[in-house]
Amino acid sequence: MTTRVPVAVHAGDPLLHAGVTAQLRPRPEVDVLKLDEHERAQVSLVVVDRVDDEAVLLLRRLQRTPSTRTGLIVGEFGQNALRIVIECGVSAVLRRAEAEQDRVVGLITALVRGESMLPGDMLSRLLDHVGRLQRNSADAAQGFNLSTLTAREVEVLRLISEGFDTGEIAVKMSYSERTVKNILHEVTTRLQLRNRAHAVGHVMRQGLI
């Protein structure tokens, strides 16, 4: 029997909280916790209209609990919002307009696996910036040295950000699963990062978004 993931829902208003809770309660993968049970959450799911000061304060408070991974469902996403939420330890983001039940559960399970997940347009912006900085050695020399990332390493990080696991990435890239794991290990070791989600987040935190 699959262990249910304990999830604490933090919402910007009672209506949002009730909607997300009702959406998740029937799912066998998820155990939606009551308020007095939040300390045992494996995943904290934050649901807000926008990334305002109040939302940032909540995300920073949750960041102080390293045993809990944080995902964000958001209505409006401003230009600098992705950088801010990554700095707050968020590694999975979903727009509210796309937050149907299966995708929310997918975000939660990605977090449990230590993976990150981003909307496709945000990821495209990230990769565009990566490409520009790779072609601009002056910019690269000022901070994160993107020349240390090969094309296949960037592609693996892109697929991880979309929520694919190592087996799926192996199929898409026509590699063995061991090769994909070796690529991830090489990136995280070389850049002294904790895991695959940290690798993607590290790239984002360099002002690429």
Side-chain angles (χ1 to χ4, degrees), residues 42-62:
Q42 191 173 355
V43 168
S44 289
L45 188 61
V46 176
V47 188
V48 293
D49 289 323
R50 62 189 62 83
V51 183
D52 55 16
D53 290 345
E54 186 176 350
V56 171
L57 286 173
L58 171 60
L59 293 172
R60 293 199 184 284
R61 177 169 63 80
L62 294 172

Side-chain angles (χ1 to χ4, degrees), residues 144-175:
F144 182 47
N145 187 4
L146 290 171
S147 65
T148 63
L149 287 179
T150 67
R152 73 176 188 172
E153 287 169 345
V154 171
E155 179 66 6
V156 167
L157 291 175
R158 181 184 71 80
L159 291 171
I160 287 170
S161 295
E162 292 182 346
F164 293 103
D165 61 27
T166 52
E168 292 168 328
I169 293 171
V171 172
K172 283 181 172 293
M173 298 185 69
S174 299
Y175 293 150

Side-chain angles (χ1 to χ4, degrees), residues 19-115:
V20 174
T21 298
Q23 192 178 44
L24 292 178
R25 284 203 187 281
R27 294 298 295 247
E29 307 96 327
V30 176
D31 178 17
V32 181
L33 302 175
K34 297 177 181 177
L35 182 60
D36 59 359
E37 300 176 315
H38 280 192
E39 70 279 357
R40 66 180 186 90
Q42 191 173 355
V43 168
S44 289
L45 188 61
V46 176
V47 188
V48 293
D49 289 323
R50 62 189 62 83
V51 183
D52 55 16
D53 290 345
E54 186 176 350
V56 171
L57 286 173
L58 171 60
L59 293 172
R60 293 199 184 284
R61 177 169 63 80
L62 294 172
Q63 189 179 20
R64 294 195 291 269
T65 307
S67 60
T68 301
R69 298 183 60 80
T70 302
L72 176 69
I73 298 176
V74 62
E76 301 173 14
F77 213 75
Q79 184 175 1
N80 296 319
L82 186 56
R83 176 184 59 81
I84 293 169
V85 300
I86 291 297
E87 289 174 353
C88 292
V90 175
S91 56
V93 178
L94 189 62
R95 284 192 171 91
R96 277 178 51 192
E98 302 169 347
E100 52 90 20
Q101 189 183 72
D102 286 340
R103 298 200 69 178
V104 176
V105 173
L107 178 146
I108 292 168
T109 55
L111 286 168
V112 171
R113 293 194 301 265
E115 299 173 358

